[in-house]
Amino acid sequence: MNKYKTESTPLLVSTHTSSPADHTSGDDTACDDPYGSGGGGSSGGGLPPFSFTLASQHDRRPGLDKLYNALLTLLVVASFAAGCYLALRVSPAGGRPRGRFTGPYALRSYQTPRDMLEEYEFYEGKDSEGSGGYVTYVNESWGREKGLVRDSHKALYLGSAPMNNSLASIRLEGRSRYSNGLFLLSLSHAPTGCGVWPAWWLTDEEAWPRNGEIDIFETVNRQSRAKTAMHSTKGCEVGTAPRDKFTGEWDTAYGIPDKKTGIPRKDGKDATNCYVYDPDQWLNQGCVAVSSDEDTVGPGFNEGGGGMFALEWDPGNGRVRSWAWRADNVPSAVLRSYETGRAGDTDDWGTPYGYFPIGDGTECPSGHFRNMHVVFNLAFCGTVAGNRFKLDCPQEAEEYGSCEAYVSDKSNVEEAYWLIDGMRVWQRRFVEDSDEDA
């Protein structure tokens, strides 16, 4: 059954089409793959390797020694010359090739509920220190045995269950790496409720915040409007976004202590600085766009049958854009893209609620965001949902005393689960500048 109430289009692709692992690196000085198409965390540095096999002493004939040495010398010289050429072809900042992601989108990954888990690894262990969630992430075997993981042709179910001193939950980490892309997710149900903290996001944990973070979908407690947040190192300000380019609004940093008096300021500031340590915003608040539409997350979203979320990370065109649609108002162009695997023109998707200027000509160089993989996770309490628990859920806080005590009652987290219909990923090709443009 098609919940989006539109004529179904036959699928052109029946399985995901992820590219094989390519070279990637988080090192600023390395020649990492600008296309961002690596998988499995492979890495390397410096110039691309030149692969050749030397003949052994038993393979070489005495009469060919001079010829062999001459050829080897020529090969070394050619390698050095190629290295010098590549070194001159990179941009001054960050050691990255000159060029841009351009051209039409090509399908990178077509994920369905049945095969989606092939694209991910199960993270096992406690939550990160920075998030501090009241959660223990479990492996696939444990999750399936306890009913936390169930897949079918309709949807992938990811849930949670009580365990000693925390809740057992699922965190999926994508095998592929990206430095640009168009990401489209369909959900029938998203986790919600007091103390609940789900997210669908992009990150590079080993190089955070240097390689950035983009939270495409993230909500806590009883929030009802979708939001997108970006986190970076210093030097990424997005407040110059033209107001006619997005329908949402910026999140606000209220109550920041005055630098001289320490007294919390009563005025608010738009959260448009992506820098995680910006002194005029809350720690790691980042730059945050919030949808103006109600029920794009939360109970109302689920009661309406779910919906879709999209992120266009498009440094070649100087922007990151984000959308959220309830099931009853998904544009027909978006449905066609989802069903056929053809991205089409994203300008036909309607005005996004979030617009972040990045790249050339902006105040946020695109190198702040790169080499990231997709993550799905479901946390509880912690530094966000937990810190806001008394504010967002005052009655529950008064009755239970703490966020941890509240979510430990299984009856309180019955809505804390994902039903994922599928995900699509497209990418533009990276094209280096020509010699005339260099």
Side-chain angles (χ1 to χ4, degrees), residues 50-347:
F50 294 90
S51 178
F52 58 91
T53 303
L54 294 176
S56 72
Q57 292 292 338
H58 297 288
D59 295 329
R60 289 163 50 191
R61 297 178 182 177
L64 296 179
D65 279 351
K66 292 184 179 180
L67 178 60
Y68 170 79
N69 289 333
L71 290 174
L72 182 58
T73 300
L74 180 62
L75 182 57
V76 170
V77 171
S79 299
F80 178 77
C84 292
Y85 171 77
L86 289 174
L88 292 172
R89 293 286 296 165
V90 300
S91 63
R96 305 186 63 76
R98 290 191 180 96
R100 65 176 55 211
F101 301 100
T102 188
Y105 281 111
L107 183 66
R108 170 78 183 279
S109 182
Y110 192 104
Q111 301 176 21
T112 69
R114 279 293 193 189
D115 59 31
M116 188 171 179
L117 292 179
E118 297 175 10
E119 299 275 356
Y120 298 87
E121 296 177 348
F122 282 73
Y123 171 81
E124 188 174 1
K126 293 291 185 180
D127 203 4
S128 67
E129 184 177 348
S131 297
Y134 186 67
V135 63
T136 300
Y137 295 112
V138 299
N139 59 41
E140 181 176 6
S141 177
W142 199 98
R144 288 189 181 277
E145 180 182 347
K146 302 297 182 181
L148 276 63
V149 180
R150 299 195 296 268
D151 47 12
S152 69
H153 68 282
K154 292 184 177 180
L156 172 64
Y157 171 91
L158 302 174
S160 61
M163 65 187 307
N164 294 334
N165 300 319
S166 68
L167 271 71
S169 184
I170 301 298
R171 174 175 169 136
L172 301 180
E173 299 186 348
R175 300 178 188 275
S176 297
R177 295 278 172 167
Y178 302 96
S179 289
N180 78 103
L182 176 61
F183 304 80
L184 179 60
L185 175 71
S186 176
L187 297 176
S188 287
H189 187 281
T192 188
C194 288
V196 179
W197 182 11
W200 171 49
W201 50 304
L202 293 157
T203 188
D204 181 357
E205 298 93 332
E206 300 301 320
W208 188 95
R210 180 160 54 90
N211 282 357
E213 172 186 333
I214 304 177
D215 304 320
I216 312 172
F217 169 103
E218 183 180 27
T219 182
V220 298
N221 299 330
R222 288 176 170 162
Q223 292 177 348
S224 59
R225 294 191 292 161
K227 63 181 179 180
T228 299
M230 297 174 60
H231 307 267
S232 73
T233 51
K234 193 172 185 179
C236 181
E237 168 64 47
V238 296
T240 58
R243 196 61 193 87
D244 62 344
K245 295 291 187 180
F246 62 105
T247 63
E249 58 191 38
W250 295 112
D251 195 14
T252 308
Y254 281 109
I256 304 298
D258 184 90
K259 293 183 177 65
K260 293 183 178 179
T261 66
I263 299 174
R265 289 164 27 191
K266 295 182 179 180
D267 61 323
K269 171 190 177 295
D270 286 347
T272 59
N273 194 328
C274 304
Y275 181 37
V276 296
Y277 303 122
D278 176 32
D280 294 320
Q281 297 179 183
W282 291 110
L283 179 65
N284 195 27
Q285 183 173 10
C287 46
V288 188
V290 183
S291 173
S292 58
D293 295 329
E294 291 289 336
D295 298 330
T296 41
V297 296
F301 175 81
N302 293 330
E303 291 167 5
M308 287 188 171
F309 300 87
L311 179 91
E312 184 176 36
W313 174 14
D314 191 9
N317 286 309
R319 65 195 183 189
V320 172
R321 304 195 290 179
S322 56
W323 295 262
W325 304 280
R326 296 184 300 270
D328 61 357
N329 71 347
V330 181
S332 58
V334 176
L335 294 176
R336 283 195 301 271
S337 297
Y338 181 80
E339 293 171 352
T340 66
R342 294 174 177 171
D345 186 352
T346 52
D347 286 340

Side-chain angles (χ1 to χ4, degrees), residues 349-369:
W349 289 15
T351 306
Y353 77 82
Y355 187 101
F356 306 80
I358 68 168
D360 295 344
T362 75
E363 296 180 24
C364 181
S366 60
H368 281 292
F369 304 96

